[in-house]
Amino acid sequence: MAMLRRTASTLNRIINSKVVSSNWNSFASPTVATHKITKSQLVPVTCRFYSSEIDFTDVESRRRMFNRLLYRSKQRGFLELDLVLGNWVEDNIQSMDENGIKSLIQVLDLENPDLWNWLSGQEQPPESISVNPVFTAVREKVASNLNNHAAPETRATPGQPWVRGWDDIKRGKDSPVSGNQ
């Protein structure tokens, strides 16, 4: 606890010191310092990880937002979604407009298990998600990949667990009832 108090007081001194406040303006680029952003140039968005407005006014803020969205799509902690969603976003984010970005943020705010079940066709998505253009495009990409690379008999029917696995051949009295258990 004492270490936490020392760290907090050190941070407080650094933030309030005249050295930091006097040097702060030297880090800002001249174009940012002189450019005024009007309220009409900001796009309001409701999501968990961003402020209520997204800035599309200059190239740098747009690049930072694209990088954040790309990172969020590739680092979800769910390997299948990392690959599917990350590759789709990487291929399509540069051509998205403001509405596309808002739709992408809505998809990125979804929980991983639900999103994967909806994308893979295991469950039907809610109406608010199924009309999302980004979700629809990603789902079409997943369906296309499944049709091109996996036989229909190897897939589980919607609503049923996947039961085919690498250990299906070893059916004995000690083997699992369904695959990969």
Side-chain angles (χ1 to χ4, degrees):
M1 189 67 164
M3 185 170 199
L4 182 62
R5 269 184 290 208
R6 276 189 303 237
T7 305
S9 67
T10 304
L11 285 175
N12 193 20
R13 272 186 308 209
I14 291 172
I15 290 171
N16 293 327
S17 72
K18 292 183 180 182
V19 175
V20 172
S21 60
S22 66
N23 289 335
W24 179 255
N25 290 333
S26 65
F27 292 115
S29 70
T31 57
V32 174
T34 59
H35 182 70
K36 293 190 180 196
I37 298 172
T38 62
K39 191 72 170 169
S40 63
Q41 293 173 315
L42 298 176
V43 179
V45 174
T46 304
C47 68
R48 293 188 299 188
F49 299 105
Y50 288 99
S51 64
S52 63
E53 296 176 340
I54 293 179
D55 184 13
F56 282 105
T57 55
D58 61 348
V59 176
E60 181 63 22
S61 62
R62 189 173 179 92
R63 183 193 63 79
R64 270 186 268 133
M65 182 190 357
F66 284 174
N67 286 343
R68 284 186 197 122
L69 293 173
L70 186 61
Y71 181 83
R72 279 187 62 200
S73 65
K74 287 188 168 195
Q75 301 293 325
R76 296 189 60 91
F78 205 85
L79 179 60
E80 294 85 353
L81 283 175
D82 292 349
L83 296 173
V84 169
L85 205 54
N87 289 337
W88 188 90
V89 170
E90 189 173 23
D91 293 342
N92 296 294
I93 196 165
Q94 295 297 330
S95 63
M96 288 183 162
D97 60 350
E98 294 171 6
N99 291 329
I101 296 295
K102 287 191 247 182
S103 298
L104 175 62
I105 290 172
Q106 184 183 13
V107 169
L108 292 176
D109 282 343
L110 297 172
E111 296 294 328
N112 287 344
D114 294 334
L115 182 58
W116 180 250
N117 286 338
W118 297 333
L119 286 175
S120 63
Q122 292 298 304
E123 295 177 7
Q124 288 297 321
E127 183 66 28
S128 62
I129 303 301
S130 61
V131 297
N132 184 316
V134 170
F135 176 81
T136 305
V138 175
R139 185 173 54 183
E140 289 172 1
K141 177 75 173 171
V142 169
S144 170
N145 285 343
L146 279 173
N147 291 334
N148 290 337
H149 301 291
E153 59 271 4
T154 62
R155 296 183 226 154
T157 56
Q160 298 297 317
W162 183 65
V163 295
R164 297 182 60 93
W166 57 269
D167 59 352
D168 285 348
I169 299 172
K170 301 185 287 184
R171 295 277 180 208
K173 64 180 182 179
D174 294 338
S175 67
V177 176
S178 59
N180 293 340
Q181 292 183 350

